[in-house]
Amino acid sequence: MKLDKQSYQRLLEQKSPPSPLPLDCLKAFLFGGAICTVGEAVSNFWQWRGLETTDAAAATSITMVFLGALLTCLHLYEKLAKHAGAGTIVPITGFANSIVSPAMEFKSEGLVLGVGAKLFVIAGPVLAYGISASVIYGLVLMLLGGGGGA
Amino acid sequence: MIEHIGQRTLYLTGRPYLLSHASAVGKKEGEGPLGAYFDFVTEDDRMKQKSWELAESALQKTAIHLAIQKAGLHKGDLDVILAGDLLNQCTGSFLASVDSDTPYLGQYGACSTMAQGLALGGCLVEGGAARRLLAAASSHFCSAERQYRFPLAYGGQRTPTAQWTATAAGAAVLGAHGTGRIRLTHVLFGKMVELGVKDANNMGAAMAPAAYDTISALLSDLGAQPTDFDCIVTGDLGHVGADLLLTLLRTDGIDLSPVYSDCGSLLFGDEQDAHAGGSGCGCSAAVLCGPLLRDMQAGKIRRLVFAGTGAMMSPTSVQQGQPIAGICHAVVIERSDA
């Protein structure tokens, strides 16, 4: 049989099992929700300890990043993420995981060319475009005169 | 002498001997259904090394040493080592043989590397360029992940069609003279076949058309039916690729299923979370140099087609949007009673 790309593409779509999307979404919702609930509890804890709401929010971010990094170091975060998918990627703990995991992985290439150079290999695009977006947003806000700043 | 049969098959008239074979695998592979058939199963995938690349080379070195030992040879008795792996510049292989004091030819055929080494090695022995040589291949889950995908501790999800890179190595010694019963008879070098598959998480689908091309050509050149062989085994198409291969051959009226197996589908059990099955150079190398050749020695398999399959891609080619081509090299191995 002479194979052409179109008919092979149709065949392989038939034969390749798709990701179980509804189940993946449900698990992402439950795991992601659970992480956010923990975050809420941490936030309440800091407020109970006497921090103002804005300070408590910063302290909560710091705590969650620490927890994400700790679970990554203990090789527990990837086990959780296997089931949680986007539920562990989207919260700030996922951001910690995306920076700590390359730091651990590329330690064998040294502190400069390994850890230093590869630290942002996953989070880099998020930082680059996230910061760019906030700069553009800030400029727009300033030009429209809605900034309220200087 | 090498005779051309049909379009592409080479018949090695001197039928080089497979003097010995050995396999070394990681912990997960050792816990799989084939675990008892490997020569060496490590408890520590790091192999007491300071990097995963060194761990892979230590695993390959273990397989090489065991194969040399089993053949009753010593370091320096080999005319050449043909070895390869998945890492950039074949790091696992050159590190494994750097102190071998033996001529070395690095091989890259992605996951088809073991078949490529045996096919090329068979021709070198048959042509008189080497009296005895060793072919080896390896892969390591942890060294492959960091090169091709993500850091180990990164939390990501795999698709159902993704394959699990095996932590494994296999080595076999070929010789022009010997007393053994297992011999290499035919060789077919594969063509790259590319049908527009771009999903690096579905390499079985990228490789199946190449396996179809090679196996069809071999059967046609030899005028053989699948059942003329006791076993036709592909490298590591995994469950998805194996299904595609059987479907493609069925459209030509060829039913491979009675004699067909796939190393990637055999290596891991369903409960081992390997998704579509094993992959990596070490997968087919260890399954051939472990269970399959053991079965040949025991007389359970007398005529075997070993068709190693590889996906021709790199992180760079995939990022640049290039499709993944498949390749499949085949060797015929026979057990004689004389």
Side-chain angles (χ1 to χ4, degrees), chain B residues 15 179-183 296-297 299 301-302 334-338:
Chain B
R15 299 191 299 153
T179 52
R181 289 180 166 186
I182 305 177
R183 300 168 84 167
M296 289 199 84
Q297 259 178 341
I301 301 174
R302 307 175 72 82
E334 291 183 2
R335 183 187 196 272
S336 59
D337 289 323

Side-chain angles (χ1 to χ4, degrees), chain B residues 199-210:
Chain B
D199 183 4
N201 286 311
N202 196 357
M203 294 209 278
M207 297 186 285

Side-chain angles (χ1 to χ4, degrees), chain B residues 320-333:
Chain B
Q320 292 178 358
Q322 294 306 309
I324 303 168
I327 195 159
C328 175
H329 305 293
V331 293
V332 180
I333 303 171

Side-chain angles (χ1 to χ4, degrees), chain B residues 47-65:
Chain B
M47 298 288 286
K48 300 189 176 65
Q49 301 294 319
K50 61 180 182 180
S51 75
W52 294 118
E53 288 72 15
L54 285 167
E56 178 173 341
S57 78
L59 201 67
Q60 190 186 108
K61 203 170 183 172
T62 304
I64 291 175
H65 280 186

